Amino acid sequence: MMDFLEEPIPGVGTYDDFNTIDWVREKSRDRDRHREITNKSKESTWALIHSVSDAFSGWLLMLLIGLLSGSLAGLIDISAHWMTDLKEGICKGGFWFNHEHCCWNSDHVTFEDRDKCPEWNSWSQLIISTDEGAFAYIVNYFMYVLWALLFAFLAVSLVKVFAPYACGSGIPEIKTILSGFIIRGYLGKWTLIIKTITLVLAVSSGLSLGKEGPLVHVACCCGNILCHCFNKYRKNEAKRREVLSAAAAAGVSVAFGAPIGGVLFSLEEVSYYFPLKTLWRSFFAALVAAFTLRSINPFGNSRLVLFYVEFHTPWHLFELVPFILLGIFGGLWGALFIRTNIAWCRKRKTTQLGKYPVIEVLIVTAITAILAFPNEYTRMSTSELISELFNDCGLLDSSKLCDYENRFNTSKGSDLPDRPAGLGVYTAMWQLALTLILKIVITIFTFGMKIPSGLFIPSMAVGAIAGRLLGVGMEQLAYYHHDWAIFNSWCSQGADCITPGLYAMVGAAACLGGVTRMTVSLVVIMFELTGGLEYIVPLMAAAMTSKWVADALGREGIYDAHIRLNGYPFLEAKEEFAHKTLAMDVMKPRRNDPLLTVLTQDSMTVEDVETIINETTYSGFPVVVSRESQRLVGFVLRRDLIISIENARKKQDGIVSTSIIYFTEHSPPMPPYTPPTLKLRNILDLSPFTVTDLTPMEIVVDIFRKLGLRQCLVTHNGRLLGIITKKDVLKHIAQMANQDPDSILFN
Amino acid sequence: MMDFLEEPIPGVGTYDDFNTIDWVREKSRDRDRHREITNKSKESTWALIHSVSDAFSGWLLMLLIGLLSGSLAGLIDISAHWMTDLKEGICKGGFWFNHEHCCWNSDHVTFEDRDKCPEWNSWSQLIISTDEGAFAYIVNYFMYVLWALLFAFLAVSLVKVFAPYACGSGIPEIKTILSGFIIRGYLGKWTLIIKTITLVLAVSSGLSLGKEGPLVHVACCCGNILCHCFNKYRKNEAKRREVLSAAAAAGVSVAFGAPIGGVLFSLEEVSYYFPLKTLWRSFFAALVAAFTLRSINPFGNSRLVLFYVEFHTPWHLFELVPFILLGIFGGLWGALFIRTNIAWCRKRKTTQLGKYPVIEVLIVTAITAILAFPNEYTRMSTSELISELFNDCGLLDSSKLCDYENRFNTSKGSDLPDRPAGLGVYTAMWQLALTLILKIVITIFTFGMKIPSGLFIPSMAVGAIAGRLLGVGMEQLAYYHHDWAIFNSWCSQGADCITPGLYAMVGAAACLGGVTRMTVSLVVIMFELTGGLEYIVPLMAAAMTSKWVADALGREGIYDAHIRLNGYPFLEAKEEFAHKTLAMDVMKPRRNDPLLTVLTQDSMTVEDVETIINETTYSGFPVVVSRESQRLVGFVLRRDLIISIENARKKQDGIVSTSIIYFTEHSPPMPPYTPPTLKLRNILDLSPFTVTDLTPMEIVVDIFRKLGLRQCLVTHNGRLLGIITKKDVLKHIAQMANQDPDSILFN
């Protein structure tokens, strides 16, 4: 089958853009390669070294991916932080400092007002030399919007001009690529450079988007580019996809500082083919990436994780009720978001709207910035907001959210009892409610624009706000009504019963789960963020409820919905195919079509074959013993056939249109003066997959999924009857689910 | 294909003992069942309720498994604790108290001597009323050995008489069962009861074994038994295996208190077919089990985990050198253990030794007990030993291992600087070295005896001792030579540089990794035990080194080695098949054998078929259009054929030996006075899997693995040529690996 490896004709065995790879063939090729190296290794020391270095190249590659994606994540974090602060002002002590660092270096800073120091100048201070009064406010407001527009304009222009693939979160496309699809340039160096730059710009512009999803794309670009340094991975599409799975894990690992969660995310959400070997390597890459990021220390606090929290109070069984309520909210929000966002994206695709991406981005940025500035909670960056919402109020917290009455009136160290909310908390509640509405609405329009945009952070923000609101509500309820039956068994007066920060965390998990339909990886990420097994049950309850509610309202997660919207040929591995159709209902040719186009093994001339190639567009042809018997010999790919005939005509003497093509092992002796024959057995796949016409489609779908086939031949009682391609399978699934089968676009 | 579901003949579609299931058929059956329920659910409210309850029955089952296995684990923990202490003495305040609980209730206990209280009486106190002097020592020694022998005798007798399957760890067999093999009774109620009882006895007898592996077996028994309450799982072998995968996760979850580690263990080590749905359910079952165990609170300290540790000092990069050394030690120990243990088990299987399991157990117990009593570290239970080794010396620790000089001479709270070792530490070092040797030798003979025995704890103990020894060595080196170049950059005088407990933990991970070849799940379990991301890198480094070293000395982990020793038909999913053989080299009939036995679709009589059935032992037969054309129609199983013919002869009028059997859709009209025909299309599998004779075996192995096939037919140019069964594949793999192909025993 793989003889052509030894005498390669350039191009044979490669794929066109927007085509599906054949996993079986790719894995076979890799095993052949491996076998050859192992056999040679006994011959010389040099070959032995080559063999050992080949075996370890996978681990080396993982190390490099970890280092590179960790460094890039650190760079993005630092730049985004600085540019976000640039919207509000600049540091006189050195313009390259962000607000926090600027005041660290200051001598004039007190503990209470950590954020205020003379070195840090707001724009109004710089321009009109004051920070007080309505005019200064307007100046700051104006500068904020101006910077936001500038960043967004730069981001969308760079994407449009240099790398159109750099937009979006990239996860739907990466899922599709990992399932065996080819999108050239999607993980290339231009995409990497432009995505890194524009991601910083997009995050800094204050739009309702996160950098976590795009970081997965960035890590996968790193993986793909580094693959080029290793023969083993450069030339083999299947092996390269193993590396990309690991890179995706490294991406999530640096996005959240959660290496185990990253591996599980790659396993649960992104990957298609995930052997155990990849599991170990992913874990290694994720760890290296996380430690690289920690050494860069972008948050300046030695913490690996994005939102470090520590809670002091255990939860009570009764609290499962509000947690499940949050789960329901998360599921509803997830279903609503997916539906409206997909509807809006479809509108963008099909109407004039899609033609003006720059204007769209500028309008959305302007609206976001104008509405965001007046409200403290929308003005701060979304990750800061989430941090603050997760935070359990300690003694020294100066945040409005911690403005309870009798704040300093406690005896028990850092363990604060439940207290009545003060004015600050009530104000914060109102502002948070407004923030919630703004985030819900604006995120629907933001996700899918032509800039890098992730969904994790906005979804978590929505959930965290809802959770904190509910948490504070519960806390006040428990404080004022601790004699109610539901409270009095576990919540005595003056005790610290309810932690609103935990509610925020549970809400964030619920909303993220509703949108992405992750469960285990989500809980593990959250668990790594907090580092306590204690809260697994609340998180699990919320994540499960959210998934069930959202699934009841629509089966697909946001990534699958976007895959379908774009018509990518992605064969979902999670859904069972549940219809009772047979292979004969799906195969081509259909009942009234002309017969299947086949080649015979020893009776067709070059001209016959070229005619068939020119008259059809099939990507491959079955080869049979004879048209009468229809007994299958093998399968030959169109691309290989074209390249081989062309090559033979150029290089092999005497090949003319009347030369007979032989797919058999030996060609019979030819009478003199006939043109030489063309032997093409080397490009023939002698082990094509076949199923009978009566095979249930559920089994066919299973075979396609598990073996990663591109096509499968259909026989009846030993005779060749038809062919099923991956596209046929996808179209059939779409049809059975009452969707438009023509929405599947590529091969 | 599945028509017989509607008109079931009892027995059709079931399997014999020690046979392999057909995953494709089982999954098809489940989908048919599901489809039927879904279709019916639209008809009536009752059917709708049935459909919903069917959908949730999986979750309910998980809940029950979690509750039951958590409770059993708690019961086992408590009983084993009590009986272990019974070897040393008894509580006068109530014989049902163990040593610790006995002294909790006492008023006469001081903080320094928590273990001594008047209520607790050693055997010498009870018998000769004193605890002092050589005679008392001998009395205690004698009683210790006596109790150990009694427990061991009871354990081995119960196993021998009531449930022979209750011996060993059970993990090799569970792996085999999960891969699709049938061992009736292996997960039955007798096995559960006897294994639970004898596990307590075996652990209490002081043998060098753990309860962690057998707990997985116990949890799987719970899972299997509970499956009988749900139609969906009782009747379907494939669905039941999904439940068992989840049960295995619950087992590890309660064994270590590590739910995430349990799920990953099930995924990495035990399971064969692990869809995402099972991942979620496993996680749920593992959580429920862990929380049930925590509510029972067997350790009396509210801790979920077996070995709770908290370290205060970060590790330094240079320490990776000793950690990697520990990894190498772990790998060497793993390889050594597997080799010697397998050699010993083979001897037991093949010589007279195997006939006297009771005597063998008694001898090993006697040797263990006699050698163990004089040494404090071998006398205590292995899990206590590991706990003590993992422990970081605090201010209040009274253990010998913490007997450093200037113990109380510190100013910095609980953070103790490195100190010179005192006399106690030196004594402990010697005793630990002796313990190490004893454990290494005795475990080799213990694992595989006819009692329940797990490997996790003894392996961890070996590693923990080696690690602690190295750790204390490093600590003293750093104390006395803190001016050496390797130390002086990070370890100033009086600082707390090195944590010997961490070394013990890393060593434990390394040794466990060397024996089981787990990596990710191992690190996650360890990480859950400590709850800190901080130590992932040391653990990972040690686990990886250990795996590499052990793999270099022998590819198999202990479980795979035992599977091979027992000849189970287990198709390893981790190893790639790397040889360049073809399907035609493996298929039956071989080149010079008689032709393949086939049935024709419309020309054989009942007698012809019965003759074939009686003359051959094949478990199935291909059905062809005619012997001349050899064009394949389908495949029929021997068992189904026998049952159907028997059934027809009994129930259908006029079926005689000359009746013609039709596998076609329609039988032609028969002339009058001929016996009625027997239509058997309903038992014919119309979609048998076929490959061509030139298909590389690597692809065939892949198909068998991924689709879970039992057999596959081989064709050449559309003609049926031969058959490959799972056993043929396994024999071929064994042959290629230079092993005896006849070591594969079952079908």
Side-chain angles (χ1 to χ4, degrees), chain A residues 130-149:
Chain A
T130 172
D131 208 9
E132 311 278 317
F135 187 57
Y137 186 81
I138 290 170
V139 168
N140 281 330
Y141 201 156
F142 178 75
M143 288 304 288
Y144 182 90
V145 177
L146 201 70
W147 278 111
L149 285 172

Side-chain angles (χ1 to χ4, degrees), chain A residues 13 34 59 107 109 138 144 157 162 181 217 222 245 273 289 318 407 423 494 520 524 538 563-564 626 648 695 734 743:
Chain A
H34 184 71
W59 291 101
D107 304 326
V109 65
I138 290 170
Y144 182 90
S157 313
F162 293 104
F181 194 58
H217 188 178
C222 296
S245 294
Y273 169 67
F318 164 75
R407 269 180 70 190
L423 195 63
V520 179
V524 172
I563 285 174
R564 197 156 57 74
S626 66
T695 309
S743 62

Side-chain angles (χ1 to χ4, degrees), chain A residues 442-575:
Chain A
I442 208 76
T443 308
I444 291 166
F445 295 99
T446 307
F447 189 69
M449 290 199 306
K450 293 266 168 258
I451 44 167
S453 58
L455 247 188
F456 284 8
I457 291 286
S459 304
M460 285 174 78
V462 167
I465 296 171
R468 187 85 191 200
L469 291 175
L470 184 64
V472 173
M474 283 293 295
E475 186 192 39
Q476 295 307 310
L477 204 68
Y479 177 79
Y480 286 113
H481 302 282
H482 50 82
D483 48 344
W484 282 8
I486 48 169
F487 292 120
N488 67 9
S489 63
W490 55 285
C491 188
S492 56
Q493 190 170 10
D496 182 17
C497 315
I498 283 169
T499 314
L502 175 62
Y503 283 69
M505 198 170 74
V506 171
C511 281
L512 191 49
V515 171
T516 61
R517 309 291 159 88
M518 302 193 288
T519 49
V520 179
S521 48
L522 177 65
V523 173
V524 172
I525 288 173
M526 286 292 178
F527 154 63
E528 284 186 88
L529 293 188
T530 57
L533 271 170
E534 205 57 41
Y535 303 106
I536 280 192
V537 172
L539 288 170
M540 195 76 200
M544 280 289 169
T545 316
S546 150
K547 188 183 156 65
W548 281 333
V549 170
D551 274 354
L553 297 171
R555 294 292 296 169
E556 292 171 319
I558 184 74
Y559 301 129
D560 293 330
H562 272 266
I563 285 174
R564 197 156 57 74
L565 180 70
N566 290 317
Y568 296 129
F570 181 73
L571 192 54
E572 180 57 67
K574 285 175 214 163
E575 289 279 318

Side-chain angles (χ1 to χ4, degrees), chain B residues 218-280:
Chain B
V218 167
C220 283
C221 288
C222 296
N224 188 50
I225 292 165
L226 288 168
C227 273
H228 285 283
C229 313
F230 298 89
N231 258 328
K232 187 173 175 179
Y233 297 99
R234 186 178 64 228
K235 290 185 185 162
N236 196 298
E237 295 288 343
K239 291 303 277 182
R240 204 191 299 179
R241 276 162 180 74
E242 290 179 23
V243 174
L244 293 180
S245 294
V252 177
S253 165
V254 288
F256 291 103
I260 300 172
V263 174
L264 287 177
F265 174 80
S266 177
L267 173 69
E268 185 180 351
E269 188 61 36
V270 187
S271 293
Y272 192 80
Y273 170 66
F274 204 89
L276 274 178
K277 220 189 211 171
T278 310
L279 185 69
W280 304 328

